[in-house]
Amino acid sequence: MGEALKSQSSRTMSLLSQLEKINLGSVLGEADNARYVTSKILHLVQSQEKTRKEMTSKGSTGIEVILSTLENTKDPQTMLNILNILIEVISVGGGRKANILVAKGGTQILLQLLLTASKDSPPNEELMVLLHTLLAKIGPKDKKIGMKARINGAHNISLNLVKQNLQNHRLILPCLQVLRVYSTSSVNAVSLGKNGVVELMFKIIGPFSKKNTSLMKVALDTLAALLKSKTNARRAVDRGYVQVLLTIYVDWHRHDSRHRYMLIRKGVLQCIKSVTNIKLGRKAFIDANGMKILYNTSQECLAVRTLDPLVNTSSLIMRKCFPKNRLPLPTIKSAFHFQLPVIPASGPVAQLYNLPPDVDDVVDESDDNDDAETESEIETENDDKDQHFKNDDIETDINKLKPRQELGRPLEELKMYERFFPELSEKLQECDLVSKEPKPFIPDANLSGPIVVPTAGEEYSAETKQSTKGVALKESNPVLTEEYNRRPAFLELPKKDSVKDSSLHQQNDQRNLSPSCQCLNQEIVKGLDRMSLQSSAKNDQYYSTACVITKESKTSLTTLACSNPCERVSPCGSSLFEGSSVHLGKLCCTGVDSEDEDSRSSSSGEQVMLEVSDVSPVHDCDLYIEMVKTTKSIPEYSEVAYPDYFGHIPPPFKEPILERLYGVQRTKISQDIERLIHQNDIIDRVVYDLDNLSCLVPEEADVLKFNSKFESGNLRKVIQIRKNEYDLILNSDINSNHYHQWFYFEVSGMKTGIGYRFNIINCEKSNSQFNYGMQPLMYSVQEALNSRPCWTRVGTDICYYKNHFSRSSIAAGGQKGKSYYTITFTVTFQHKDDVCYFAYHYPYTYSTLKMHLQKLESMHNPQQIYFRQDVLCETLAGNSCPLVTITAMPESNYYEHICQFRNRPYVFLSARVHPGETNASWVMKGTLEYLMSNNPSAQCLRESYIFKIIPMLNPDGVINGNHRCSLSGEDLNRQWQNPNPDLHPTIYHAKGLLQYLAAIKRLPLVYCDYHGHSRKKNVFMYGCSIKETMWHTNVNAAACDLMEDPCYRVLPKILSQTAPAFCMGSCSFVVEKSKESTARVVVWREIGVQRSYTMESTLCGCDQGKYKGLQIGTRELEEMGAKFCVGLLRLKRMSSPLEYSLPSSLLDIENELMESSCKVTSPTTYVLDEDEPRFLEEVDYSAESNDDQDTELADNVGDYEATNQEDGLSDSDSTRILLS
């Protein structure tokens, strides 16, 4: 057998050798010999796979010899033999062998042969069939085939063959395949269109027929490719072909009952998809009733899973053709106005102020632009450009990268910050707080009780549990009743600039209620009497009164949905305070559900204890109200949201990342399309509107009521679409016309057992973690009354997709034809007539921060903890920006102890520069509570460092419900290079503190700015490194000799080993040009802090470690804040030469860098100019699947997806450096 194979192999080589000699003209009887030899080779190729492999094996000249013979021979039979040989060779090897043929110049030879053969009259049909068959196979692998065919006129030869042989299906089938390949070049497509190719295709395609289905399929594919040319698409529209295509589609849909011809049906849809890329095509589609036709046919296809490609393509077409709607707003500027003290000379805010008053900024002429995004083809074409832009963002100038310590302000001016560092100058010997002798550290349990430091999951210790509070549920509680009688119906809040005495006067609310309302009040009392916060004697100081709500009304004369006859509350309590009132939102008047009442109480009055292990000792309901009174908002809010008053306890159960159901997005889009098709079914009623204060609250029992007029609230307008479906519009950041993401609003008047759909319709980001398992948050007042005051993840059928509301170029930073995006979710409420709140993430208000800081200050042991709270500055609205100093008091007033106290290194922390990133505040809360705890490690940490903390850099943005900006309308984390003291006071003075420390040679050891990340999972850090930045550019040579201390990697590495939510693999230390004005880069470059970080916490959840597959909660976020502190303590120990030496493995960075091949990219749009890259989980969310790619791209699909995975790490501080 082996001998036979060897013989055949040598036979093939012998025949090829003979053929080569014939080409050289050294053999007599060339034509006959060539015909004989090629026929023998053809026989071997057809019968032996080994021969086919030999022809294209490495080092073989077989293909060159064959092509040379084809080029030189005049004998028709030899040509046919050779074409058959080539077809056999590449038909088995697929794309790789076709590439070999292209590389050897095969395309040019075949096109030249086609030109020559076309001159015969009549042309040799067999030769034409084989030539076109071969060209159709290798064409997709030759990117320049369109240009080559155009140059020698081959494309018109194929077209003419089709025209002249319409009935010869065997000949025109490969011709059409070649025309399709030619049409990938837009120039060719236009040229062919001028020669009548579009009209020709419509002669071939037609109604349902079982004959010639393969020809029909090829003709449709060719037509779809041709119609991608706008010129051809216009020609098709002008000749009425849109209507023809729809008629053909319906005909095939009706007759193909067994779904055998799905590819033909999809081919018709692809033609419609191509022609509707232009405005005229979309109009023709609408006029031909295309929306209804495709809607009805796609609904009929839903039951058959194999028809999903038809449903998805129909969905894409309908979404594209859905008439662009104006966002139903008078202006996209914020509903609230704040006049800036200084108008910036340039930038978005300047443009906003310079807009003529009569300009309509909601829509413009760009909204119907033909160049609007038309699905994936355009995105694919722009891939190379995007990559070029992305790489451009990495800073390559070493001189700019090298930190250059600059004070930036005169030393005399910086002395103004000396008062914020009294720990460096005060004569502590004179303080009574320090004993005269050294003292051991003893946790002072009697003075303040332990502060519960949140640690997630099973890490709670027995001691922690002993110190927690229980919630007692009791039928009658005299203390509670007294508290109820004491609390007035309204809590007054003096308006801005008119703060007067606002002490609480004890009154009996019963006297202030009209008699007809007693029934309502008794219902609430039933619920309230059963809830109290049980506390031990040592914890009494944390809660001076029970955290109980007795507010029934929002405003005087508010109508309540009550099952009892009475429906009105008299305007009671209005004389309690001078000025405007601050009050809680209306309470659900059903009280506690009867089944809960029965199960939680008994006639014997026994208490049912509910252990709540996470009750934070720093939440105080009454103190929160006091804090609200001094908070200044632009809308002058007078209401308090219940969740902020009650507080939040993490739920005792795990909340897994939601698994996305197949087809959910498609279903939602289908329901949106029904709005156009069945317009009479749409209610279209405004039920809430900040722009129209006279908008009436719906009186009907089955219409939800909305509210967002409280601190951090954001909801601008609500439109009822269907009975249980509402469109919600978010408010822009003040002095801005975009940044819609953060939401926080109240809903009431619901019924149980009904799924309510909420659509937030003016989002701007191109994708969201809502597509990857994240759920919004809901807080139920009814549940809070049932002793479960917590935010929980809720919602089903959640998805995020592009909608039909157009964004003006003004709103999109000059980009034309952009659309908004929709977040949609469905909620079924547990309690009738509950009051519920929804939020993008766990709210944390400015008043909450002030309350927490005041509680921490009142609870600490001043003999052991040095805690100081200063006002760094006032914001634009007149709110104070707190600055906190925490360290340990010196052991005694001995000289060496005072020296150790003053020489401790500084750690500088900040958070919440972006108001919508509330998770940053929860992480900061964990840090603050750990630093103030009686944990021995915390004491050790305080003895090691002096902490300077600005827990909220953007109070105004937080208060007014902004997502990203301050009142200046600017992203404060882009102002660190040159902050304006009038427009960016918090940044100006925060930088001033750091400049002062640099001036007195007390640079912080660590600077960290806490952020939230909306598009990636886990917690991770961004840092700064010259070497790593250079490694990701083409300037590697300069970086090789660069010496850099890799200490910046130590803290993230420690956290990856100690904090369950932290992921080292997501960390990046690359410096980008677009981030040069962020806190992280400026503090590193100008101040000279090597360990300068942004710590990003996910808004969604984790995909690694202990919390893999879970959504993140406040417990995990606070734990991260505490673990950060533990990491600092370990950093201290590791960097101390007396105690530990740094493990070499931790700093062995160079090899890891050399092996990494990460790509860094930058922001994609003006609107998305953020501190975050796109997340890894790239999907085509425009449809449920990515099945409408052209077939010639099919071979590359795997590669394309792999590239997406690599490139997904785009934007800001984004290189993935994987550490083992």
Coordinates of all heavy atoms in Angstrom, one line a residue, residues 49 167 179 294 297 312 333 481 526 624 662 766 794 821 844 852 1029 1039 1057 1146-1147:
E49 N -7.2 12.3 -2.4 CA -7.1 13.5 -1.5 C -5.6 13.9 -1.3 O -5.3 15.1 -1.2 CB -7.7 13.2 -0.1 CG -7.7 14.4 0.8 CD -8.3 14.0 2.2 OE1 -8.9 12.9 2.3 OE2 -8.1 14.9 3.1
Q167 N -32.8 32.4 -19.0 CA -33.4 31.1 -18.8 C -32.4 30.0 -18.6 O -32.7 28.8 -18.3 CB -34.2 30.7 -20.1 CG -35.3 31.8 -20.4 CD -36.2 32.0 -19.2 OE1 -36.7 31.1 -18.6 NE2 -36.5 33.3 -18.9
L179 N -21.2 38.4 -9.2 CA -21.7 39.8 -9.1 C -21.9 40.2 -7.6 O -21.6 41.3 -7.3 CB -23.1 39.9 -9.8 CG -23.0 39.9 -11.3 CD1 -24.5 39.9 -11.9 CD2 -22.3 41.1 -11.9
L294 N -44.3 43.2 8.7 CA -43.2 42.5 9.4 C -43.6 42.2 10.9 O -43.2 41.1 11.4 CB -42.0 43.3 9.4 CG -41.3 43.4 8.0 CD1 -39.8 43.9 8.2 CD2 -41.3 42.1 7.3
T297 N -46.0 39.1 10.6 CA -45.3 37.8 10.2 C -44.3 37.4 11.3 O -44.2 36.2 11.5 CB -44.5 38.1 8.9 OG1 -43.7 39.2 9.0 CG2 -45.5 38.3 7.7
N312 N -35.5 38.2 14.3 CA -34.5 39.1 14.7 C -34.2 40.2 13.5 O -34.1 41.4 13.8 CB -33.1 38.4 15.0 CG -33.3 37.6 16.3 OD1 -34.1 37.9 17.1 ND2 -32.5 36.6 16.4
K333 N -32.3 70.6 28.6 CA -31.6 71.2 29.8 C -32.3 70.8 31.1 O -33.5 70.5 31.0 CB -31.5 72.7 29.7 CG -30.5 73.2 28.6 CD -30.3 74.7 28.6 CE -31.5 75.3 28.0 NZ -31.3 76.8 27.7
T481 N -45.8 54.3 72.1 CA -47.0 55.1 72.0 C -46.7 56.5 72.4 O -47.1 57.5 71.7 CB -48.1 54.5 72.9 OG1 -48.3 53.1 72.5 CG2 -49.4 55.3 72.7
K526 N -51.5 50.8 64.6 CA -51.5 49.3 64.8 C -50.1 48.8 64.3 O -49.5 48.0 64.9 CB -52.6 48.6 64.0 CG -53.9 48.7 64.8 CD -54.9 47.9 63.9 CE -56.3 48.0 64.6 NZ -57.3 47.2 63.8
Y624 N -31.2 62.6 61.4 CA -31.3 62.7 60.0 C -32.2 63.9 59.6 O -31.8 64.8 58.8 CB -31.8 61.5 59.3 CG -31.8 61.6 57.8 CD1 -30.6 61.4 57.1 CD2 -32.9 62.0 57.1 CE1 -30.6 61.6 55.7 CE2 -32.9 62.1 55.7 CZ -31.7 61.9 55.0 OH -31.7 62.1 53.7
Y662 N -33.9 34.2 27.3 CA -33.7 34.4 25.9 C -35.0 35.1 25.3 O -36.1 34.8 25.7 CB -33.6 33.0 25.2 CG -33.5 33.1 23.7 CD1 -32.2 33.3 23.2 CD2 -34.6 33.0 22.9 CE1 -32.1 33.4 21.8 CE2 -34.4 33.1 21.5 CZ -33.2 33.3 21.0 OH -33.0 33.4 19.6
S766 N -24.0 53.5 25.6 CA -24.3 52.5 24.5 C -24.5 51.1 25.0 O -25.0 50.3 24.2 CB -23.1 52.5 23.5 OG -21.9 52.1 24.2
V794 N -34.7 44.1 42.5 CA -36.0 43.7 42.0 C -36.0 43.8 40.5 O -35.2 44.4 39.9 CB -37.2 44.5 42.6 CG1 -37.3 44.3 44.1 CG2 -37.1 45.9 42.2
Y821 N -31.4 55.5 24.7 CA -31.5 54.1 25.0 C -32.5 54.0 26.1 O -32.8 54.9 26.9 CB -30.2 53.5 25.5 CG -29.2 53.4 24.3 CD1 -28.5 54.6 23.9 CD2 -28.9 52.2 23.7 CE1 -27.5 54.5 22.9 CE2 -28.0 52.2 22.6 CZ -27.3 53.3 22.3 OH -26.4 53.2 21.2
Y844 N -27.3 57.2 48.9 CA -26.6 57.7 50.1 C -26.5 59.2 50.0 O -25.7 59.8 49.2 CB -25.2 57.1 50.1 CG -24.4 57.4 51.4 CD1 -24.3 56.4 52.4 CD2 -23.8 58.6 51.7 CE1 -23.6 56.6 53.6 CE2 -23.1 58.8 52.8 CZ -23.0 57.8 53.8 OH -22.3 58.1 55.0
H852 N -24.0 60.6 59.7 CA -23.0 59.6 60.0 C -21.8 60.2 60.7 O -21.3 59.7 61.7 CB -22.6 58.8 58.8 CG -23.6 57.8 58.3 ND1 -23.5 57.2 57.1 CD2 -24.7 57.3 59.0 CE1 -24.5 56.3 57.0 NE2 -25.2 56.4 58.1
T1029 N 2.9 52.3 31.1 CA 2.3 53.1 30.0 C 3.1 52.9 28.7 O 2.6 52.7 27.6 CB 2.2 54.5 30.4 OG1 1.4 54.6 31.6 CG2 1.5 55.4 29.3
A1039 N 11.5 52.6 27.3 CA 11.0 52.1 28.6 C 11.9 51.1 29.2 O 11.9 50.8 30.4 CB 9.6 51.6 28.4
Q1057 N -5.6 39.8 47.7 CA -5.4 38.7 48.5 C -6.3 38.7 49.8 O -6.5 37.7 50.4 CB -3.9 38.6 48.9 CG -3.0 38.3 47.8 CD -1.5 38.5 48.1 OE1 -1.2 39.0 49.2 NE2 -0.6 38.0 47.2
L1146 N 5.9 39.9 44.9 CA 4.9 40.9 44.8 C 5.4 42.0 43.9 O 4.6 42.7 43.3 CB 4.7 41.5 46.2 CG 3.3 42.2 46.4 CD1 2.2 41.2 46.2 CD2 3.3 42.7 47.9
L1147 N 6.7 42.2 43.8 CA 7.2 43.3 43.0 C 7.9 42.8 41.7 O 8.4 43.6 41.0 CB 8.3 44.0 43.8 CG 7.8 44.6 45.1 CD1 8.9 45.3 45.9 CD2 6.6 45.6 44.9

